[in-house]
Amino acid sequence: MARKITRLGALCAAIAAQGAEAAVSFAIPNKAGTGAQLYAPLDPAPVGISFEFFAFPSYFTNVTATKQCLANWKDLTGVWPPIRIGGTTQDRASYDSSTSAYVVYSVANPADAPATLTFGPKFMTLAGTYPGSVVVGLNRGKNNIDNTIAAAKVAVSEVTNLLAIELGNEPEYYPKDGQPIASGTWNPSVDAASQVDWSIRVGSAVGKRNIIQAGNWNQPPPEWGAAQLIASENATASQYIRHYAHHNYPGGDVQKLQSHSQTSSNVRSMFAADVAAVKQQTGKEYVLGETNSVSGGGAANVSPTFGAALWTMDYALRAAAHGISRVYFHHGTVGNCQYCFWGRYSMGAPYYGATAAVALAAGASSIAALDAGTDGYAAYVTFDAAGAPLRALLYNSDYYAGGGAEPRSSQQFTLTGLRGDRVRAKRLTAASSLSRADRGNDISFGGQYWVNGTCVVGGEEVFETVEVAGGRATFDIKAAEALLVYL
Ligand SMILES: *[C@@H]1O[C@H](CO)[C@@H](O)[C@H](O)[C@H]1NC(C)=O
Ligand SMILES: *[C@@H]1O[C@H](CO)[C@@H](O)[C@H](O)[C@H]1NC(C)=O
Ligand SMILES: *[C@@H]1O[C@H](CO)[C@@H](O)[C@H](O)[C@H]1NC(C)=O
């Protein structure tokens, strides 16, 4: 149970910040499923990447770091991370069977996304080279179902590891975007009827059940949520739907973004009821099909920071602990993407946080959040297939802007229920919440970093060792730091 922050507690915390802070304490369950906390099954690769539709060929043919950044996670977990290809430009794209190019478009400025584009069969062939699971997003906005069915057939034949097809991206915005399908009345129930109709027609045309990733809205549930879509489905439609997806960009400044209570409350209030409805009514998966820190490619002073990296880690794990199967972090226009984990020339800080989350999840079958999500201090534990605890991740989400004006506070985390007489740990750290990998600030995970342009790991791997006495150990974690403890 985490400490409750009271006014007195906050005062004590301020005084204690100079010295040792009262410890928060968490008991490691000796087996998954025991005790009061909730356990969620964990996907073999719960942290994924979303590529903006038009930019996908560029990421895969022209950005050297892409393959290595994905391979680093495969090396940690044994499973290639899942990818999704889609976004706003999927609803601007038309399939052209006659083009030999991946994508055809023109933009006034390389920083822009195209207003319209075509793609050829090679686009899907390229997606088929990826050894991990692939979700492909196709166009519904243009209301040209014959073109979408032609594209879906190529996706099914070319994308070896095709997990699902999306029919439209964030359809609640179709009227604003002037999309033909929404030229009449457009609201959640009209969209739901359209999703049902298209799922049946595309699913039957490609001859595959469990093939559609439905939903894909950005506006929050329940208005734009899976529960209302499920209510519109009959048995013919639901056989084609593999799972449900939602998008989310929490936004805010760095301090708010990295706040653990904020992230916990966002995930709980936005998604807990919709996830529960999907599980109870269909037993299917729920994913965050597209997400990142701030919408529209990110915010220049927020999305590339270490604070955003800490958010990435905490958000992926909180979502997993709420039963969300996979979280796909969006990557937009190459060279104009504040929240990207990597680019053509430099690494982004968020890759560090995402990698810490992947390292906690590696090889695990289930996860539990040990904290109530009501203060700044988080603790997650993962368990193996037999239910034995594997690792814990401890996170101090207090903000630290650096600059030396104020001392950096530290929080003690005590873990009980430990076995053996010592544990090893890897620290995720940086000089401040505002540190940036793309500005040459030191950020490290277990003493290591990833090289600009290639995403090859650099530096010596460093483990800390902490003594365990009577099943108990205490860890000092500075403001804006996390520690991965190997149990
Ligand atoms: C790769 O980048 C070069 C310039 O940086 C560009 O001319 C080319 O079109 C890009 N290729 C793809 C597939 O995006
Ligand atoms: C479900 O609805 C579709 C029309 O949207 C219809 O073609 C189909 O027959 C219905 N299936 C069942 C089982 O009622
Ligand atoms: C990575 O690239 C950025 C941007 O050019 C630079 O500031 C930083 O020093 C580089 N980092 C390393 C480790 O070379």
Side-chain angles (χ1 to χ4, degrees):
M1 237 347 252
R3 174 191 64 171
K4 278 221 165 65
I5 295 269
T6 60
R7 193 174 289 224
L8 181 62
L11 181 64
C12 292
I15 292 165
Q18 326 294 332
E21 170 106 43
V24 291
S25 186
F26 300 100
I28 302 291
N30 61 15
K31 198 164 197 324
T34 62
Q37 56 277 328
L38 298 174
Y39 297 79
L42 204 48
D43 190 274
V47 183
I49 300 292
S50 166
F51 296 102
E52 182 61 43
F53 191 91
F54 86 95
F56 160 71
S58 185
Y59 276 102
F60 263 54
T61 62
N62 238 0
V63 180
T64 308
T66 301
K67 291 259 161 68
Q68 187 63 44
C69 279
L70 295 167
N72 291 338
W73 292 354
K74 194 261 179 189
D75 291 346
L76 265 176
T77 67
V79 183
W80 285 91
I83 67 167
R84 173 261 187 171
I85 302 165
T88 309
T89 57
Q90 87 187 52
D91 280 307
R92 300 177 184 173
S94 300
Y95 177 60
D96 176 1
S97 62
S98 70
T99 182
S100 61
Y102 297 118
V103 275
V104 181
Y105 63 84
S106 66
V107 286
N109 182 319
D112 294 342
T116 183
L117 67 146
T118 58
F119 61 98
K122 258 179 76 181
F123 184 100
M124 297 301 173
T125 309
L126 183 63
T129 63
Y130 186 59
S133 80
V134 181
V135 172
V136 174
L138 298 178
N139 196 326
R140 183 160 52 101
K142 279 190 194 291
N143 204 15
N144 185 346
I145 197 165
D146 293 339
N147 188 267
T148 294
I149 285 173
K153 285 182 173 171
V154 184
V156 166
S157 68
E158 292 296 297
V159 186
T160 322
N161 296 311
L162 183 68
L163 185 70
I165 290 170
E166 293 175 19
L167 299 170
N169 176 77
E170 301 178 0
E172 71 272 31
Y173 302 130
Y174 281 168
K176 169 175 81 62
D177 295 342
Q179 289 285 9
I181 201 165
S183 58
T185 303
W186 195 253
N187 57 37
S189 68
V190 175
D191 171 57
S194 165
Q195 294 215 22
V196 163
D197 177 40
W198 279 57
S199 298
I200 294 171
R201 288 161 72 185
V202 175
S204 59
V206 301
K208 266 184 149 5
R209 295 180 175 186
N210 300 316
I211 190 65
I212 304 298
Q213 176 175 302
N216 311 303
W217 312 276
N218 186 52
Q219 288 294 307
E223 189 187 7
W224 296 97
Q228 60 88 19
L229 174 56
I230 291 165
S232 300
E233 288 166 7
N234 65 17
T236 312
S238 63
Q239 67 183 335
Y240 292 114
I241 294 173
R242 188 187 184 282
H243 60 264
Y244 296 85
H246 212 283
H247 297 182
N248 185 227
Y249 290 87
D253 60 18
V254 178
Q255 181 164 13
K256 188 174 173 205
L257 188 68
Q258 76 170 62
S259 155
H260 175 63
S261 56
Q262 181 71 30
T263 295
S264 305
S265 132
N266 173 32
V267 174
R268 184 175 53 241
S269 65
M270 193 92 77
F271 297 114
D274 213 31
V275 173
V278 166
K279 303 267 155 168
Q280 282 158 17
Q281 293 171 39
T282 73
K284 292 177 186 175
E285 292 178 342
Y286 196 101
V287 307
L288 291 178
E290 182 191 308
T291 187
N292 220 318
S293 51
V294 186
S295 63
N301 296 319
V302 176
S303 302
T305 66
F306 184 61
L310 294 167
W311 167 79
T312 304
M313 170 196 78
D314 194 23
Y315 184 70
L317 298 176
R318 207 71 189 178
H322 271 280
I324 292 173
S325 301
R326 291 175 297 285
V327 178
Y328 296 81
F329 289 92
H330 198 51
H331 284 57
T333 310
V334 177
N336 182 22
C337 186
Q338 302 294 345
Y339 49 50
C340 280
F341 292 7
W342 63 86
R344 203 172 266 141
Y345 306 112
S346 57
M347 289 300 298
Y351 188 73
Y352 288 75
T355 301
V358 171
L360 175 70
S365 295
S366 62
I367 184 168
L370 301 184
D371 67 281
T374 48
D375 64 22
Y377 312 112
Y380 299 96
V381 189
T382 49
F383 302 86
D384 68 16
L390 271 179
R391 292 171 218 103
L393 186 135
L394 311 176
Y395 171 37
N396 177 353
S397 79
D398 290 347
Y399 181 68
Y400 180 64
E406 285 176 39
R408 188 173 189 171
S409 61
S410 182
Q411 174 65 45
Q412 290 192 324
F413 286 68
T414 296
L415 292 182
T416 60
L418 299 172
R419 283 162 299 186
D421 52 16
R422 63 180 61 89
V423 287
R424 297 190 314 158
K426 266 187 171 185
R427 192 169 294 258
L428 176 65
T429 192
S432 88
S433 293
L434 302 177
S435 293
R436 293 176 60 155
D438 65 330
R439 294 246 170 109
N441 307 135
D442 282 341
I443 302 178
S444 61
F445 177 51
Q448 294 183 299
Y449 61 93
W450 288 276
V451 176
N452 282 333
T454 65
C455 208
V456 169
V457 73
E460 284 294 307
E461 187 174 36
V462 176
F463 286 93
E464 303 171 19
T465 303
V466 178
E467 301 290 317
V468 174
R472 166 188 298 263
T474 297
F475 308 85
D476 270 317
I477 305 179
K478 289 193 288 235
E481 266 192 350
L483 194 70
L484 179 64
V485 183
Y486 293 74
L487 302 172

